[in-house]
Amino acid sequence: MSQFDVVIIGSGPGGYVSAIRCAQLGLKTAIIEKYSTLGGTCLNVGCIPSKAMLASSHHYDEMKHFADHGIEVTGEVKVNLQKMVDRKQAVVDQTSGGVKYLMDKNKITVFEGLGSFEDATHVKVTKNDGSSEVIEGKNIIIATGSKPSNLPFITLDKERVITSTEALKLPEVPKHLVIIGGGVIGIELGQVYLRLGAQVSVVEYMDRIIPGMDSSLSKELTKVLKKQGMKFYVSHKVQSVERKGKEVTVKAENAKGEIISLEGDYALVSVGRRPYTAGLNADKAGVKITDRGMVDVNDHLQTNVSNIYAIGDVVRGAMLAHKAEEEGAMVAEILAGQKPHIDYNLIPGVVYTWPEVAAVGKTEEQLKEEGVAYKAGSFPFKALGRARAGGDLDGFVKILADKNTDEVLGVHMIGARCADLIAEAVVAMEFRASAEDISRMSHAHPTFAEAIKEAALAATDNRALHV
């Protein structure tokens, strides 16, 4: 029987990063993946392929504005969806292959098959051909991730009534894509097909899209996407989804109790994700699973069984790849006797639409609910020289700071390059910077990052210079 210091079940961003960090720290490490490719949901059917599709569709959409820049394109410009999907898959294959390279480089043993507990220190690996073997781990890390959620009355046929997985490989551009759920995944994929020519309608139960983010970001993104042609039905509760041939009908009830009916050729069910523990046999190891299907862990990501840990989407907290990575590295360092720490308040969230949306720290709604005295400063992208030069005028940066100490409590932004710009805010908040600290940092001109400096100036006695 093969024996290891650490056995990791699942090779997503949490699992494979944890494996690398364990190996770096001198621990003999194995990782188990039930699929033939490494990388989990993020690399195979999530973060990476969706960003590839967003990038391709963005290039196509940009061509509509080439004339504004003095570039005249003659002849017909066509979308070849199959080539777009093929390119997406090539990006996925290259990225997954990179993970395999990292496993080999760090001398991590990879087992292909379904990992399930035999007891607290033994994991059975059941391979696709039905054969199996049992390996022993002094410590075991559960990193099995999540799967798309569904509503109990919706039948997913994965042809016309689909999840995000199928939306990444459609055989055609939909005529009318009805999206159930106005969260990050639905909005991103909605913009992909909106750009390619589909009519897109979003049905959201809450009173706004991206409801987990600051309401000012929701309002601005809604305004921009409406301008692009996306339609929204917020405060609508879906009642039924029925398919007849190539037509899908979605019925929903609005706040007045009225029923609306949307007919499309595809319906994307994007109502969040749920922890995935199917086949894990956690009970054999005595590991506690919560009523919500999550693996129960303490502040050190340790389960009720002392040598078993869990990370990523399968435990509490935001279902984000970079959150899983931080947790994977943290558990590895705990096993090596170190004392790492994660500040969950400083894990940023990003929506990769265009304009991009990004945030870290507290929202205004949270600060009001907690009774924290704060001040806010914002700055519009349209006042930036770089934004005008490139034609990316939508959006703003908003900084929330403690009214008494000036410490930055939250940064919320929507606009060009915000997915990258948010890192500056994370660094500032990690070192407990004040708004004035940020305002006194020199920012290169002309850049989009100047909006952060200007928002900090606005939060510091309303001193913004360029508005």
Side-chain angles (χ1 to χ4, degrees):
M1 182 185 297
S2 299
Q3 297 178 321
F4 299 91
D5 295 317
V6 185
V7 171
I8 300 167
I9 306 174
S11 73
Y16 85 72
V17 166
S18 189
I20 293 170
R21 189 69 185 115
C22 284
Q24 288 176 341
L25 292 166
L27 301 171
K28 185 182 178 183
T29 306
I31 193 164
I32 303 169
E33 173 54 56
K34 72 173 185 174
Y35 295 112
S36 59
T37 57
L38 302 177
T41 292
C42 177
L43 270 64
N44 290 281
V45 292
C47 323
I48 300 303
S50 63
K51 276 29 157 203
M53 294 292 283
L54 278 162
S56 295
S57 63
H58 183 65
H59 288 313
Y60 176 67
D61 190 61
E62 279 189 313
M63 295 195 70
K64 300 174 186 176
H65 310 287
F66 276 5
D68 297 339
H69 294 269
I71 303 170
E72 296 181 1
V73 179
T74 58
E76 186 179 2
V77 179
K78 295 181 179 180
V79 170
N80 187 325
L81 183 60
Q82 188 56 55
K83 281 191 175 180
M84 199 175 285
V85 171
D86 290 345
R87 177 190 175 274
K88 175 265 299 180
Q89 192 57 46
V91 171
V92 168
D93 293 343
Q94 183 180 21
T95 308
S96 180
V99 176
K100 178 64 170 64
Y101 163 77
L102 291 171
M103 297 299 99
D104 294 339
K105 175 188 174 184
N106 289 281
K107 298 179 174 57
I108 296 161
T109 304
V110 177
F111 292 90
E112 182 182 333
L114 176 68
S116 59
F117 283 102
E118 291 286 283
D119 56 38
T121 55
H122 294 87
V123 178
K124 181 180 179 181
V125 182
T126 304
K127 302 174 185 178
N128 291 331
D129 62 7
S131 64
S132 65
E133 65 179 302
V134 176
I135 61 176
E136 183 177 348
K138 181 179 177 183
N139 297 286
I140 298 170
I141 301 173
I142 301 169
T144 47
S146 62
K147 293 288 183 183
S149 294
N150 190 19
L151 298 175
F153 54 86
I154 297 178
T155 300
L156 294 168
D157 60 30
K158 300 188 177 182
E159 293 177 352
R160 295 281 169 177
V161 184
I162 61 176
T163 69
S164 57
T165 300
E166 294 78 46
L168 291 165
K169 53 183 180 183
L170 289 181
E172 62 184 351
V173 176
K175 295 180 181 66
H176 183 193
L177 175 63
V178 181
I179 300 174
I180 300 169
V184 177
I185 297 170
I187 295 298
E188 287 182 356
L189 291 173
Q191 191 176 51
V192 168
Y193 288 107
L194 182 72
R195 290 166 174 166
L196 300 182
Q199 177 185 343
V200 177
S201 300
V202 178
V203 182
E204 168 57 45
Y205 177 75
M206 303 293 284
D207 61 356
R208 58 189 175 95
I209 62 171
I210 54 171
M213 303 187 87
D214 192 277
S215 62
S216 63
L217 299 180
S218 300
K219 184 178 179 181
E220 181 73 5
L221 184 60
T222 300
K223 182 182 80 174
V224 173
L225 292 178
K226 278 185 176 180
K227 187 168 60 176
Q228 294 175 6
M230 195 175 290
K231 296 181 179 179
F232 296 97
Y233 300 86
V234 297
S235 298
H236 278 68
K237 183 180 181 180
V238 173
Q239 299 292 314
S240 65
V241 178
E242 295 182 0
R243 174 189 175 182
K244 289 184 180 179
K246 294 183 178 181
E247 185 176 277
V248 180
T249 301
V250 177
K251 292 185 178 180
E253 182 182 5
N254 65 20
K256 298 178 182 178
E258 302 164 336
I259 302 295
I260 67 158
S261 182
L262 298 171
E263 285 79 34
D265 48 345
Y266 290 90
L268 168 59
V269 181
S270 182
V271 292
R273 298 183 65 85
R274 56 182 173 78
Y276 183 69
T277 57
L280 188 61
N281 290 340
D283 56 323
K284 282 192 174 183
V287 172
K288 182 182 177 182
I289 305 292
T290 71
D291 293 339
R292 297 183 63 189
M294 297 177 182
V295 178
D296 195 29
V297 293
N298 61 20
D299 290 342
H300 300 291
L301 300 169
Q302 185 181 40
T303 71
N304 58 303
V305 181
S306 62
N307 69 307
I308 300 176
Y309 295 75
I311 60 174
D313 289 3
V314 82
V315 302
R316 63 177 181 263
M319 291 186 175
L320 298 169
H322 45 287
K323 176 252 196 187
E325 290 185 14
E326 296 300 326
E327 291 180 334
M330 174 174 159
V331 170
E333 290 168 5
I334 288 172
L335 295 178
Q338 299 181 13
K339 298 185 183 298
H341 171 70
I342 297 173
D343 186 342
Y344 286 95
N345 184 53
L346 298 186
I347 292 178
V350 177
V351 187
Y352 293 89
T353 49
W354 196 266
E356 294 176 332
V357 184
V360 66
K362 300 289 188 178
T363 67
E364 282 205 63
E365 292 77 19
Q366 288 172 326
L367 293 176
K368 288 174 182 176
E369 186 178 331
E370 294 169 10
V372 176
Y374 71 93
K375 53 187 178 176
S378 63
F379 188 83
F381 270 66
K382 64 183 178 182
L384 283 180
R386 180 64 186 276
R388 286 196 296 271
D392 292 302
L393 303 178
D394 293 316
F396 59 84
V397 174
K398 179 171 74 173
I399 291 179
L400 307 174
D402 188 286
K403 191 172 184 178
N404 299 312
T405 67
D406 198 37
E407 180 180 350
V408 176
L409 303 175
V411 180
H412 307 275
M413 55 180 74
I414 175 171
R417 315 287 174 80
C418 283
D420 299 299
L421 294 177
I422 197 64
E424 176 179 336
V426 177
V427 171
M429 292 176 66
E430 183 68 46
F431 290 93
R432 302 192 66 175
S434 65
E436 185 174 359
D437 288 333
I438 297 174
S439 74
R440 292 187 178 277
M441 291 165 50
S442 178
H443 287 66
H445 174 77
T447 60
F448 291 107
E450 288 178 283
I452 301 176
K453 177 185 176 78
E454 291 276 4
L457 283 166
T460 307
D461 302 323
N462 198 26
R463 287 169 44 201
L465 298 170
H466 289 91
V467 287

